[in-house]
Amino acid sequence: MARKASNSMSSRLTRFETIAGWLYLPFYLIILNLLLQLANEKLSLGMSALTINIAYFAINLAATLLIFHGFLRQSYFGGSFWNFVQAVVLGFALYYAGTWVLQFALTKLAPGFTIYNNETVGSLISDNEYIMMAVTIILAPVIEETLVSTLMHNWQYFLLYPAGKVLLSCIPYLPASVALAWTYEKAGTIWAPITLHALINALSFGLLQLNF
């Protein structure tokens, strides 16, 4: 959950937004996906995995904009344009430095480990790359930075794969979590980590396309 930034000029979550956000979180993480799967099965809707994914993100985006519309109306650049740019650039550098270090360590300590979310996204890209581009670069950053990020990417895989392997799959997301949180604190506006998240996803999207 996004918390108030150190920059006094930035917007803060209201009490309503905080409570509503926490109440919505289980629906976002678990309930909505189960409802979509159930509706698809019981009503014989014939939705593909890609269609379900689009519906999931569309509903979550609508809910995020409804609950946090006041919070998201804060100034895009916060108190300073150059501070915003610096925060995004340094956050980007922090993310890739941390990612390189962790991936190097993991290849030595756990060769052949799998990032399950990358496999899922890659298969969806093969279904329709343009829709997935919009989802991963435009929709996902707004939703995930306003609510949560790492938990969203990994919780469901604990139901499908051994816990130890899923935990290894979570580790590569740690640099992003640190970089995005630092960028928010540095810039004093939620739009800084949203922008950084979009840039990271855009680059990751391109790399995944090379692999699938």
Side-chain angles (χ1 to χ4, degrees), residues 52 54 61 77 86 112 116 133 143 208:
I52 292 175
I54 294 169
L61 178 64
F77 295 113
Q86 183 184 59
Y116 295 110
M133 182 185 299
I143 299 167
L208 282 173

Side-chain angles (χ1 to χ4, degrees), residues 66-186:
L66 179 64
I67 296 171
F68 300 104
H69 65 276
F71 180 65
L72 292 170
R73 286 172 61 188
Q74 62 188 271
S75 171
Y76 186 87
F77 295 113
S80 167
F81 169 79
W82 292 113
N83 188 56
F84 177 95
V85 172
Q86 183 184 59
V88 172
V89 170
L90 292 178
F92 193 83
L94 175 63
Y95 164 72
Y96 277 102
T99 296
W100 184 87
V101 171
L102 272 182
Q103 288 186 343
F104 178 80
L106 286 172
T107 55
K108 298 298 182 181
L109 299 174
F113 78 97
T114 301
I115 302 177
Y116 295 110
N117 189 63
N118 284 359
E119 290 190 340
T120 300
V121 174
S123 64
L124 293 173
I125 288 174
S126 65
D127 290 339
N128 192 310
E129 61 180 287
Y130 299 108
I131 290 178
M132 283 306 297
M133 182 185 299
V135 168
T136 59
I137 299 175
I138 300 174
L139 303 187
V142 175
I143 299 167
E144 293 173 8
E145 290 312 305
T146 308
L147 286 165
V148 293
S149 182
T150 301
L151 187 61
M152 159 64 183
H153 285 293
N154 297 286
W155 74 267
Q156 65 270 37
Y157 299 110
F158 283 100
L159 305 176
L160 303 174
Y161 303 102
K165 291 185 177 181
V166 178
L167 286 173
L168 281 176
S169 183
C170 293
I171 292 174
Y173 290 96
L174 294 177
S177 299
V178 173
L180 291 165
W182 181 88
T183 300
Y184 176 49
E185 293 295 326
K186 172 68 176 174

Side-chain angles (χ1 to χ4, degrees), residues 8-103:
S8 60
M9 294 183 64
S10 64
S11 297
R12 303 175 182 180
L13 289 175
T14 65
R15 181 176 177 81
F16 167 79
E17 289 171 333
T18 301
I19 294 173
W22 282 113
L23 291 175
Y24 183 73
L25 193 59
F27 185 81
Y28 165 68
L29 291 174
I30 302 173
I31 299 172
L32 177 57
N33 185 54
L34 293 177
L35 288 177
L36 288 172
Q37 297 283 355
L38 183 63
N40 190 42
E41 177 183 346
K42 297 299 183 181
L43 301 178
S44 301
L45 299 177
M47 292 191 296
S48 66
L50 178 64
T51 303
I52 292 175
N53 196 59
I54 294 169
Y56 175 81
F57 275 98
I59 293 170
N60 279 319
L61 178 64
T64 298
L65 295 177
L66 179 64
I67 296 171
F68 300 104
H69 65 276
F71 180 65
L72 292 170
R73 286 172 61 188
Q74 62 188 271
S75 171
Y76 186 87
F77 295 113
S80 167
F81 169 79
W82 292 113
N83 188 56
F84 177 95
V85 172
Q86 183 184 59
V88 172
V89 170
L90 292 178
F92 193 83
L94 175 63
Y95 164 72
Y96 277 102
T99 296
W100 184 87
V101 171
L102 272 182
Q103 288 186 343

